[in-house]
Amino acid sequence: MSVGADDDTHGSAQAGLGPLVREDEVEFSAIRAQGAGGQNVNKVSSAVHLRYSIPDASLPDDLKERLLGLRDHRITAEGVVVIKAQTQRSQEQNRLEALQRLQALIDSVAVPPKTRRPTKPTRGSRLRRLQEKSQRGLVKQQRSRPRDDSRG
């Protein structure tokens, strides 16, 4: 099963920006959730650890490169995305939440950044800059001591 736009659980989270995450490339492990939770907390493993290897994924190479270039604490040095979901009470809901967060991470780098083209200053702005410089120079020149041209 892949996470897709036809899934009602995702709603508007999947805007179709990036490729869909294939669930066979995702590794899940159930763990016990942290924090308070009553009598059931020490018996049920409802939290989920999601592991997704970027180098082994079936994503386009440029997308992999941008994902690996992200400075995100969830991406390890080996290029594995680790997401922990534990806010929901059931393991299945936590799985879906972890998949949604992974899809959101992939969607965030799906659109390549625009290349920056350096601009040149206009002729008018160059002239204004030079005019302001000479004006400033005159102001500073008037602050100095008057020259004594009689000495020579």
Side-chain angles (χ1 to χ4, degrees):
M1 179 182 149
S2 67
V3 178
D6 56 320
D7 243 345
D8 285 345
T9 56
H10 290 21
S12 62
Q14 171 64 22
L17 295 173
L20 298 177
V21 176
R22 290 183 31 198
E23 204 168 318
D24 58 332
E25 295 176 347
V26 180
E27 181 185 315
F28 290 101
S29 56
I31 56 172
R32 289 192 186 133
Q34 293 175 319
Q39 297 173 352
N40 213 26
V41 74
N42 294 325
K43 296 186 285 184
V44 180
S45 298
S46 62
V48 170
H49 252 157
L50 175 145
R51 295 179 65 81
Y52 183 73
S53 176
I54 297 170
D56 300 336
S58 62
L59 298 172
D61 288 336
D62 60 331
L63 198 88
K64 285 183 190 180
E65 204 172 293
R66 286 197 297 272
L67 261 176
L68 290 170
L70 280 179
R71 293 181 50 87
D72 195 312
H73 68 279
R74 297 173 292 187
I75 301 174
T76 65
E78 295 82 36
V80 177
V81 180
V82 179
I83 295 176
K84 182 179 181 181
Q86 62 178 10
T87 57
Q88 307 298 323
R89 287 180 63 128
S90 77
Q91 192 178 107
E92 187 57 35
Q93 288 175 324
N94 280 328
R95 273 182 62 140
L96 285 174
E97 183 187 335
L99 278 171
Q100 285 175 340
R101 290 186 354 213
L102 175 63
Q103 187 67 51
L105 183 69
I106 291 173
D107 288 346
S108 71
V109 295
V111 179
K114 289 184 179 177
T115 54
R116 183 189 177 280
R117 291 189 185 91
T119 57
K120 292 182 180 175
T122 62
R123 183 171 182 266
S125 67
R126 284 197 307 255
L127 289 174
R128 281 190 299 273
R129 182 182 141 268
L130 292 174
Q131 217 171 12
E132 288 170 15
K133 272 178 69 108
S134 59
Q135 193 73 34
R136 203 86 193 109
L138 286 174
V139 169
K140 291 186 176 190
Q141 193 176 22
Q142 290 171 353
R143 291 182 194 152
S144 65
R145 280 193 178 155
R147 277 184 161 170
D148 190 16
D149 289 337
S150 63
R151 281 194 262 162

